[in-house]
Amino acid sequence: AARAYHFQEISKLPKLMLFYDSGISDLTESQRSDLEAFFKPYRGLMREKGILIVGRASKGGSDVDNQRLSYQRATNIKSLLDDILPGDYKSDHVYFGSKPPQLTLEDVEQFSIEKSAYRSIKVTGTLKSDYSLRINQSVMVLIYDLDKDVFGLAQI
């Protein structure tokens, strides 16, 4: 029930999904540009908004490596925010590695993520047909209203 509630709330929020090839935690230039464009409409509103960065990794590889990789993906984005956003802003990050809640194809459909965004993501060096591996090699960046605080993060 908690997962369904959070995912329903997420589907309503402005979000950017960034997908990564296996073992990669750095953003490409194209992803950096997408991140900058995503925040552009909110630059003057950041005192009213919160940012949640959710890092994940696929189930390929060890749990320790996946935890580290999802942490690096999330913190790499968090460190870029100072270059993108002026002044103070509220941001938090979580990282799950390959642990639940893993994304499903139904989740990305609910979030209106096009298949073309993750179709060519490489899993352990090859293109595999299991899209659940690809969609979890990702970071989701969400913007929420601090006064609504749907994730309970405004006071942290």
Side-chain angles (χ1 to χ4, degrees), residues 84-110:
I84 295 171
L85 297 172
D88 293 333
Y89 57 89
K90 167 88 172 121
S91 70
D92 295 281
H93 68 280
V94 294
Y95 53 98
F96 296 110
S98 56
K99 302 291 185 199
Q102 287 273 283
L103 296 174
T104 66
L105 291 175
E106 292 78 24
D107 296 332
V108 293
E109 281 182 27
Q110 180 181 359

Side-chain angles (χ1 to χ4, degrees), residues 95-155:
Y95 53 98
F96 296 110
S98 56
K99 302 291 185 199
Q102 287 273 283
L103 296 174
T104 66
L105 291 175
E106 292 78 24
D107 296 332
V108 293
E109 281 182 27
Q110 180 181 359
F111 301 152
S112 301
I113 308 299
E114 297 293 328
K115 194 173 187 176
S116 61
Y118 56 85
R119 182 179 322 164
S120 63
I121 297 300
K122 291 186 174 71
V123 180
T124 59
T126 62
L127 292 177
K128 295 189 177 184
S129 60
D130 184 353
Y131 283 103
S132 69
L133 295 175
R134 296 177 188 176
I135 60 178
N136 284 292
Q137 292 181 173
S138 61
V139 170
M140 180 184 291
V141 181
L142 300 151
I143 297 176
Y144 63 96
D145 293 328
L146 286 173
D147 62 349
K148 292 184 182 161
D149 195 21
V150 295
F151 303 110
L153 297 169
Q155 304 306 314

Side-chain angles (χ1 to χ4, degrees), residues 20-26 55-58 60-76 95-98 136-139:
Y20 297 80
D21 288 338
S22 285
I24 302 297
S25 61
D26 292 330
R56 290 189 171 82
S58 71
S62 74
D63 286 345
V64 170
D65 287 344
N66 287 332
Q67 190 75 5
R68 177 190 48 76
L69 187 58
S70 65
Y71 170 79
Q72 287 175 329
R73 289 172 176 164
T75 57
N76 282 351
Y95 53 98
F96 296 110
S98 56
N136 284 292
Q137 292 181 173
S138 61
V139 170

